[in-house]
Amino acid sequence: MTARVPPARTGRRPARPAGGPGGAMVTPTGGARPAPPPGGTVSGVCHGTLGELYQGPLRARSRPDIAVVSFPVDRHSWVHFTRGTDPPDPLPLGAKAATAARLFLERFGLTLPPGRWCVHSDLTVGVGMASSTADIVATLRCLFRLFALPYDTGVVLAVLREIERADSVFLDEFALYLSGRHRVVRRLGTGIGFHTAYITEPGTVDTAAVTDLLLGHYRRHGEEYRRCLADLLKGFAAGDPAAVARTATVSAALSQQVLPKATFDALLAHREEFGADGIFVAHTGCLIGYLLPGRPDAALKSDLSAFFHSLGHQCSFAQGGYG
């Protein structure tokens, strides 16, 4: 999700650790250890998403909060920093990740040592895979390791709050999350997982441009969303993937009324044929696919590929969630 939110800083800043360019780095216990020597590399990694299992209001009100339960996927963004002797080169991930690095360094009073950045991502930009948030989080994780600081989700949230509306990829579990307020409402654990077959429809969605449209839709269908979210949370509490998949399908169907996917009806009509428990979408993106209860074998992969090809799309397979 890419909509920007007004800058804000909350909470107390942590004490600034000692250290600076080329100096000693502070460990969580307060002792100093040498910075990595030239040629030493540290890395930060963050998973992306396949859209959401739920996107809608947290509760019915005149101006509802947009709540999401992102659908983590085993696809990642990587950021590496290798110590060297030359001045640090610019971070090659773009303005948002560069801003995140600057905010991190300012927060702790640090300066990058000499060295170079290297990045890689297998997350497609602009389709609902949380690529920009994953880039930011991977950058911050790399910096936490570079300066031997413990990973702090409070710092990550403070940085994200100044840059963009975000997904909960900074957590390694499912969560009910207010994407605009940057607040974790409820952690949902790691007990649910699916195999997926999905496609990316053409086009992009500007989250900021459709926010008012979404909020109006949420107000008109508040009770339906309330039931959907309640059922989803019950499914997570019970550790029931099939129940979670059913409610993800309901959320996708509700989204279809305001930001429709061209292939949704076809996927819904053939869901049982392929043994899928449900359908997921990127509610403000371009992804749509099946939630499968088990790893598809070669024959099922062939059948799914032929089906999606008949709709004009190349399908992909990935594991989502954690179970």
Side-chain angles (χ1 to χ4, degrees):
M1 306 177 72
T2 57
R4 292 181 62 86
V5 296
R9 290 183 183 269
T10 59
R12 296 177 60 188
R13 289 176 180 245
R16 290 185 175 183
M25 299 190 296
V26 176
T27 68
T29 60
R33 66 176 176 84
T41 297
V42 294
S43 302
V45 185
C46 183
H47 68 263
T49 69
L50 290 179
E52 303 83 24
L53 298 178
Y54 173 85
Q55 180 174 310
L58 178 61
R59 57 184 63 88
R61 53 174 58 172
S62 59
R63 181 80 178 177
D65 292 314
I66 298 179
V68 299
V69 176
S70 294
F71 184 28
V73 65
D74 192 22
R75 299 285 187 271
H76 300 85
S77 174
W78 289 264
V79 175
H80 314 281
F81 188 86
T82 301
R83 290 292 302 264
T85 57
D86 296 326
D89 60 353
L91 181 61
L93 272 175
K96 290 183 178 181
T99 299
R102 175 180 59 79
L103 291 171
F104 179 96
L105 295 170
E106 289 176 355
R107 185 179 187 91
F108 291 105
L110 297 165
T111 303
L112 275 179
R116 68 181 187 276
W117 295 100
C118 182
V119 302
H120 177 77
S121 179
D122 48 24
L123 304 174
T124 305
V125 175
V127 301
M129 299 189 80
S131 60
S132 65
T133 306
D135 288 347
I136 290 168
V137 174
T139 299
L140 295 175
R141 286 177 171 168
C142 183
L143 288 167
F144 278 119
R145 295 177 69 85
L146 178 63
F147 293 103
L149 295 170
Y151 181 65
D152 186 338
T153 56
V155 172
V156 174
L157 284 169
V159 171
L160 286 170
R161 189 175 291 116
E162 297 205 34
I163 299 174
E164 67 173 4
R165 183 187 294 274
D167 298 85
S168 58
V169 293
F170 56 89
L171 297 174
D172 287 323
E173 63 178 310
F174 285 104
L176 177 61
Y177 181 67
L178 298 183
S179 59
R181 293 179 181 266
H182 298 274
R183 181 164 70 87
V184 178
V185 177
R186 185 181 303 183
R187 294 173 181 254
L188 301 175
T190 59
I192 299 291
F194 298 96
H195 291 272
T196 71
Y198 68 94
I199 59 171
T200 304
E201 294 188 351
T204 60
V205 177
D206 184 338
T207 304
V210 301
T211 295
D212 288 340
L213 180 67
L214 289 173
L215 294 178
H217 174 68
Y218 296 162
R219 286 192 293 270
R220 290 189 298 273
H221 299 275
E223 180 58 25
E224 294 166 82
Y225 275 106
R226 186 196 66 76
R227 290 196 301 268
C228 178
L229 180 56
D231 289 343
L232 184 75
L233 296 178
K234 288 178 183 177
F236 271 104
D240 186 345
V244 169
R246 287 194 298 271
T247 52
T249 307
V250 173
S251 184
L254 286 165
S255 175
Q256 187 72 4
Q257 300 177 38
V258 61
L259 293 173
K261 303 291 187 289
T263 58
F264 178 82
D265 289 340
L267 265 69
L268 188 62
H270 292 270
R271 179 188 64 80
E272 293 185 0
E273 173 186 338
F274 294 115
D277 283 340
I279 295 170
F280 69 91
V281 298
H283 291 68
T284 50
C286 308
L287 301 172
I288 181 170
Y290 283 130
L291 298 165
L292 303 167
R295 182 183 299 276
D297 61 17
L300 181 54
K301 284 184 176 180
S302 296
D303 290 342
L304 285 163
S305 298
F307 167 67
F308 283 117
H309 183 76
S310 74
L311 300 178
H313 300 281
Q314 173 63 48
C315 81
S316 298
F317 302 98
Q319 189 164 356
Y322 303 97

